[in-house]
C-alpha cells in the first residue's frame, strides 16, 4: 500500500485525486494539507466524499509529508518549488501537478510565470510525466512534472505524426477548448456562472502560458523546433478538453488512420476511434481515457486530428495516478478503470 | 459470479447498468438485448464504454435470457409484463426497472398507464425494491419492482416522519425536480437542448403517473392512507433529483434531526447531513447515495426535508444493483462504492 | 425626455437598466457611477452595449446626480440610504432597487441586514414599487422601494387569493428557485460555473432575508399577519425565477382560474395562462412579463400556483422602469414591450 | 408598412422572425403558415409571444401569400424552390432563409442536398443576401438567398483579408462552433439535452453542406478559387456561433487591425473590437451584431480572426430583416437595434 500525501487539497485537482485514490486498491491518502482549511474535514468542503474520505486538512508540514511514500502537489505554480527539495531529500517521491518543473529552459519559465525559479537545479532531474512518450523514464523517477491539460491533448494528438515525420512542423495549429474547472477554484468574476454559461469565447489568442510547454514537448517528439499556433477557448462545461489540430502532410501517401492505430495499439488510456468518428468530451467525463480521431478532408494534404480528455483526469489527476502506478510498479490502470460517465 | 442479462439496453438506465456492472466484482453482463440495435456493439452507441464493454446488442430471446442468473428490464412500461412470466418460469430472477409491477391496485395501474395489465397475477409476488424499507423481503424475492426515481426520493425523505407517526399525513407536499435524463432517450421536441436549457418549469401539476406509486409506499409506512400534493419540475441538468418536502408536525417536541440520524444510522446509501445543511444534486452525481437534510424554519410546526439522489443511480440502476447484491447475498455496496463526481 | 442617473452601474441590475433604457423612447441615461470603474467606458465592461451606450462610469457625485430627473440605485443594501436623502432634497426622484427602503419595521430590517439604518425617517415616505398592488401611490411618489425578485413573484402569485380571502393565510408555502444572476456579480467561489452548473440545491431553508419583505407585503394584501414557509433554491440558469406556491382553500367553491383572470385582466405585464398550463422561465427571459398558472390537483382544497419572471427584469430593473413610467406619466410599457427570448 | 408573410413559422428561425418583426416600426406579419399547426395560435407554440403576436398558423396558400409585399421562407431546404416561382410571379418579393438559392452551381447543390433542384432557372436571379458584400444588389432584388449561419461568420471574418489580397487563399482554416438551435426544432435523439449538455464535439470534419456555399462566397471576394478547411463543432449553448479563422499572411507588413477597422467602418452591424480583444457569443445574444477581433500571435505570418454572431439573428432571421430593410428603402437598423442580452 503506497502511503500518499497531497499538498493543496482544496482545489479541483486535489479533490479529483481524492476521488480517484478512494477507489485505488494499492494507495491510501494519509495526509492532505491546506493552510486555509487546516482542521476542517475534507468532506465538509466536498460533501460528495462523505463516507468515503475521513481525513481532515492539516497545515503543510515536512515531517508528516516525509512519512509518505509519495506526495502529490496540487498547488498553484510557484508553490511546489519551495518545498519539493526538502521532501525529496527525505527519500519521498514527488509528483507535481503544477507547472513548476515542466519547462527545462529556466529563463523561459521565469518569463511566462513572472517570478524567479526557486529550485532551478531540480528541473533537469524532473521527468515529464507523459506515459505514452516517457514511460521508462517515469519508472525510475523521483520527481515527476505532470503535464498540463492542454499540453497533454496537443502532444498526444500530434505525436504519431511527429514521430513519423510526415507533417510540416513549422505550421501546426492547435485550436483547443477547455471546461471551466480548468481555471481552478478561486473566487473570480470571470468564471461566475452568469459570465460563462450559454456563451463561448477564445482567450489568450496572442499567447498563452502553456505554449512553451507544448512547443518543448512537440520539439522533443519531432527532433527539432516546431512552429505552433495555439488558441485556447473557454467552454461552458464543467470538465473536458477538446482539441482540434491542423497540420499539413509532407507525405500524402501515409495512411494516417493506420499510423494512429499502431502508435497507440498498446496504450491503456489512448483510444483511437474508427475512421470517420468524432469524439465527444462526455465520453471521457471522469475517466482517464483520451480519445482521438483523424480526418483528411477531401483526402488532401490537410490532416485534422480531434482529441478529447477530461482536464481533471487524463489532463491532471488521473495522469498523476497513472504515473504513480508506473513509479511503484503497479498495474497501470489500477484505480483508473472506470469508464466515462454518460449522460 | 452472477450472470446478468439486460433487456432494453439502449436507454439511459440500461447504459447506467452497464457502467455500474463494469466495475462490479461479482457480476458479469452476458446478454444485452435491443430489437432496434441487434448486432451493433454496445460501444458504438455508448463510446464511453469502449474498451470496457465488449458485448453486442442481440434480439430479445427467452433462451439466452434464461441462461442468466438475473435479468434486468430497462424497458418502457408495458414491456416487461409480457416477458417476465416466461423468464421467471425458468428459475431466472428478474429486477424490473419499469413501472409494470410497482402498483398493487391493478385497475389503478391500468388507469394511469392506459392499457390492460398482461401479468396481473404476478403483481402480488413482486417485491418493491426499496432496501431501506423492504430489505428482508428483497433477500428472498424472485421478482423485484424497482422504485421510480421520484418515488425513491419522496419515500426516503418522509419515511422517518411516517414511521414515527409525528406528522399530519393528510397534508404532505413533495415539490420535486428532475434532470432531463429522467425523461429517457427517445427523440422528442420537448427535450431538445434548446427547449430545456437555461429554463425551468413545473409539469403535470394536476397529476402525475408516479403519484399512485408514491402514495402506496407512503401509506405502507404510515399504516393508513395519506394525502400528498406532488408537483414535479424539469431541471436543466443531466442527472439528479432534488425533492423538497413539507409536512406539519403533530408533535412539535420531536427532535427531527435525531429521528433521521437514527432511522438511517446503518444504511450504506442514505446520508443524513448535519443540521443546517443543504444537499446538492452534484454531490451524488453518478453515485448511489441519497443525501437528506431536515429543517424546521423558525422552529415551528412545519418540517422541511431536502433530498437528493441521482435519478439514474439510486433512482434506478444503482438501486437495482443494490437489490441484486441483497438478493444474491453479496456485500450491499459491491460495485456501488464510487463517490459522487464533483465538479 | 427623462434624464436618468444610475448609481452602481457595474452589477447585473445596472447593466439591465442600461439595456432596457437604451430602447426607451422617453428616457436617456446621462450619468452612471461606479467608484471602482470611474473613467472606464461602460461598453468596456459590457461589450454587448458597444455602439449602444457611449457613457463612461464616473465617481458618484451629488451634483451630477441632482442634474437628473430620476436616479436609480442599483447598489448592494446599505448604500442607498446614505445618499438618497441628499438627492431627494434637490428635487430629484429616486428608485432604489436595493432592500434599503422596503421594510417598514426598522428593527426588523436592522436584524436581517446586520447594520443600523442610516435614513430611518425616509422609510415611511418610500412607496413599495409593485405596480399591480400600489399603482396609484407610485404615481405621486418621490422615493420608490423597488421589490426584490423573490418577493415580486410570491406576492403576484398569491395576491388574487389573498384579496379574495379564500385561503388559510396561516399556512402558505413558497418553494422558489432563482437563476444565478440573482446573486449578483461579485467574485465568489460559491457561484463559480463548476460549483453551480449541472446541479441544484436549496439554500437558507431555515430563514432568508427576503422573508420579512414578503410577509409584510402578503399581510398588506390579506389585511392581517400571514404564516409563510419560504424555501429558495439555486437554479443552473442565468436569469429567471420560478415559484411554486401552495395554499389551502377555505372556500372550495371558488373558481380560482376566474379569480386570477379577473384580478390581472387589465395588467400589462401579468399574463395568466389558460387552465392546465405550466409557465417556463424562458418565456419571460429578458422581458418584463410575469406569467402565472393555477392548479387544483384532484380538485381538492390545495391550490398550486406557478409563477415565472425574469429576476433581472420584472424582478428588478424592468419593474423599476415600469415604476419610472408610472411616476412620469408615460405609457406603462414604454421601453418594456419586447417579448421573452426563446430559445 | 410592409405586409409580411412567413412560410414555415414553427421552427426557430420562424419564431425569431416573429420576435424581431414584433418590434419593427415598418413591418407587419399578416400571414404565417404551417401545415402541421394550421389553426393553432402562434402563441400556443411560443408562449413568449403571448400578448405580442395574435396570429394563428394557416395552411400555405399562394393567394394569401401573394397579398403580402414580402414573404420569408423559414423552411428546410428543398421546400422554397417549389413555391417561390409562383409567388414571385405575383410581384411579391421573397427572402429565402434556406439553402435553396444560395449555390450557383446547380449540380454541386444537387450533390450536397441529394435531390434535383426544382427551380434551377431562378438561381441566377437570386441575390446572395450578405449586405456587407452585396448591399447594392440587395436593394433591387426580388429574391434573396439569405446566407447560412456558418457562411456568414466565415465570410465576414475573412472578407477584409481577401479583398486586400494579403493572405494565401489556398490554405484557409475555419474552426467553427455553433449553438444547438442551429440544428433546428426537429425531434431527434442527437440533440436531446442529455446528449448535448456538458459536452463538446466536432462533427462533419470530413465535409459539411455549408462548405460549397462558403467557398463560393470566399472565391467571389478573392477573385479566384480558395482552399478552405472547415470543421464545425457543436456547443452546449442555445444560440451563438464562434468561428476561429486561421490564414497565412503573404504580406507581413500589413496592419491587420487597421484593415478590419477600415473595411467595416461604416457597417451598422459589424463591430471590430480593439486589438487584443476576444469576442464572446453572449455579447451578441439575440442581437444582429457580428463582433470580430484580429490577432497575430508572436507577430508572425499567421493571422487569427475571431468572429461571433447569433446564429438565429445575424446568422439567419436578423440578416433577413436587414435585407428586407435594404430592399424596401428603410433605415437598415429598423427593428434590429436591441443590444445583446447579457447575462
Amino acid at each position: 500500500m503506497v502511503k500518499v500525501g497531497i499538498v493543496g487539497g482544496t482545489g479541483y485537482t486535489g479533490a479529483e485525486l481524492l476521488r480517484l485514490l478512494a477507489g485505488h486498491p494499492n494507495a491510501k491518502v494519509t495526509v492532505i494539507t491546506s493552510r486555509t482549511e487546516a482542521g476542517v474535514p475534507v468532506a465538509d468542503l466536498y460533501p460528495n466524499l462523505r463516507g468515503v474520505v475521513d481525513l481532515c486538512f492539516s497545515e503543510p508540514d515536512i515531517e508528516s509529508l516525509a512519512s509518505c511514500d509519495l506526495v502529490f502537489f496540487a498547488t498553484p505554480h510557484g508553490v511546489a518549488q519551495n518545498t519539493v527539495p526538502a521532501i525529496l531529500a527525505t527519500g519521498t517521491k514527488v509528483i507535481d501537478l503544477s507547472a513548476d518543473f515542466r519547462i527545462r529552459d529556466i529563463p523561459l519559465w521565469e518569463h511566462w510565470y513572472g517570478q524567479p525559479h526557486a529550485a532551478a537545479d531540480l528541473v533537469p532531474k524532473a521527468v515529464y510525466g507523459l506515459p505514452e512518450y516517457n514511460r521508462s523514464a517515469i519508472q525510475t523517477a523521483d520527481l515527476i512534472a505532470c503535464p498540463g491539460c492542454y499540453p497533454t491533448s496537443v502532444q498526444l494528438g500530434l505525436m504519431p505524426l511527429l514521430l513519423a515525420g510526415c507533417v510540416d512542423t513549422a505550421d501546426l495549429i492547435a485550436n483547443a477548448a477547455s471546461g471551466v474547472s480548468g481555471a481552478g477554484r478561486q473566487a473570480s468574476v470571470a468564471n461566475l456562472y452568469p459570465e460563462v454559461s450559454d456563451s463561448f469565447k477564445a482567450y489568450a489568442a496572442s499567447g498563452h502560458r502553456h505554449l512553451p510547454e507544448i512547443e518543448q514537448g512537440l520539439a522533443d517528439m519531432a527532433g527539432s523546433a516546431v512552429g505552433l499556433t495555439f488558441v485556447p477557448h473557454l467552454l461552458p462545461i464543467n470538465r473536458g478538453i477538446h482539441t482540434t489540430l491542423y497540420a499539413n502532410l509532407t507525405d500524402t501517401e501515409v495512411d494516417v488512420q493506420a499510423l494512429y492505430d499502431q502508435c497507440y495499439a498498446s496504450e491503456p488510456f489512448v483510444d483511437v476511434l474508427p475512421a470517420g468518428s468524432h469524439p465527444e468530451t462526455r465520453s471521457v467525463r471522469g475517466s482517464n481515457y483520451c480519445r482521438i480521431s483523424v480526418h483528411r478532408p477531401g483526402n488532401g494534404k490537410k490532416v485534422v486530428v480531434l482529441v478529447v480528455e477530461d482536464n481533471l483526469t487524463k489532463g491532471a489527476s488521473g495522469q498523476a495516478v497513472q504515473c504513480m502506478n508506473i513509479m511503484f510498479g503497479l498495474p497501470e490502470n489500477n484505480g483508473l478503470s472506470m469508464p466515462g460517465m454518460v449522460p
Side-chain angles (χ1 to χ4, degrees), chain A residues 19 32 80 217 272 313:
Chain A
R19 187 179 76 91
I32 179 160
V272 178
T313 317

Side-chain angles (χ1 to χ4, degrees), chain A residues 97-109:
Chain A
L97 283 80
S98 86
D100 278 15
F101 299 99
R102 291 178 194 158
I103 297 179
R104 294 191 298 265
D105 181 335
I106 302 294
L108 188 66
W109 189 93

Side-chain angles (χ1 to χ4, degrees), chain A residues 43-322:
Chain A
D44 282 11
L45 212 69
Y46 287 103
N48 60 313
L49 300 176
R50 280 174 60 91
V52 176
V53 174
D54 287 332
L55 288 169
C56 289
F57 292 107
S58 60
E59 287 281 349
D61 161 59
I62 296 292
E63 202 169 333
S64 64
L65 293 172
S67 74
C68 300
D69 302 306
L70 171 68
V71 173
F72 292 97
F73 277 79
T75 45
H77 67 265
V79 174
Q81 57 190 247
N82 293 307
T83 314
V84 166
I87 293 176
L88 286 179
T90 70
T92 292
K93 294 173 188 285
V94 169
I95 296 179
D96 177 24
L97 283 80
S98 86
D100 278 15
F101 299 99
R102 291 178 194 158
I103 297 179
R104 294 191 298 265
D105 181 335
I106 302 294
L108 188 66
W109 189 93
E110 294 178 334
H111 167 73
W112 281 95
Y113 290 91
Q115 56 184 263
H117 201 294
D121 54 319
L122 267 184
V123 173
K125 298 171 190 157
V127 171
Y128 193 63
L130 191 66
E132 292 77 9
Y133 183 67
N134 239 5
R135 186 170 281 110
S136 62
I138 294 168
Q139 286 171 342
T140 57
D142 292 321
L143 171 58
I144 297 287
C146 206
C149 47
Y150 282 130
T152 295
S153 72
V154 179
Q155 291 174 83
L156 291 180
L158 290 174
M159 188 167 81
L161 297 172
L162 296 177
L163 293 181
C166 63
V167 291
D168 175 6
T169 59
D171 187 7
L172 303 170
I173 293 175
N175 189 100
S178 172
V180 192
S181 65
R185 195 170 162 275
Q186 280 74 45
S188 80
V189 168
N191 295 321
L192 290 177
Y193 183 91
E195 298 291 311
V196 172
S197 80
D198 204 37
S199 192
F200 185 63
K201 65 171 178 185
Y203 61 100
S206 296
H208 183 275
R209 271 179 183 169
H210 276 172
L211 182 60
E213 176 187 345
I214 303 174
E215 288 188 326
Q216 170 183 284
L218 297 182
D220 287 352
M221 293 167 179
S224 62
V226 303
L228 175 72
T229 303
F230 170 58
V231 181
H233 300 69
L234 185 64
L235 275 172
I237 68 175
N238 275 330
R239 298 165 167 249
I241 280 190
H242 184 290
T243 299
T244 307
L245 299 158
Y246 301 88
N248 293 316
L249 290 170
T250 49
D251 170 8
T252 56
E253 298 302 303
V254 68
D255 178 342
V256 290
Q257 180 72 31
L259 196 66
Y260 278 73
D261 284 340
Q262 289 156 19
C263 182
Y264 291 125
S266 60
E267 282 300 332
F269 293 116
V270 181
D271 177 20
V272 178
L273 300 182
S277 302
H278 301 84
E280 303 175 88
T281 60
R282 67 178 187 146
S283 86
V284 296
R285 184 160 45 204
S287 92
N288 200 49
Y289 284 93
C290 168
R291 291 206 156 87
I292 299 181
S293 74
V294 205
H295 293 260
R296 276 180 65 188
N299 238 351
K301 72 171 190 174
K302 190 74 79 186
V303 58
V304 178
V305 186
L306 310 173
V307 186
V308 297
E309 67 178 25
D310 184 320
N311 56 296
L312 293 180
T313 317
K314 183 61 179 169
S317 305
Q319 185 142 268
V321 171
Q322 189 180 354

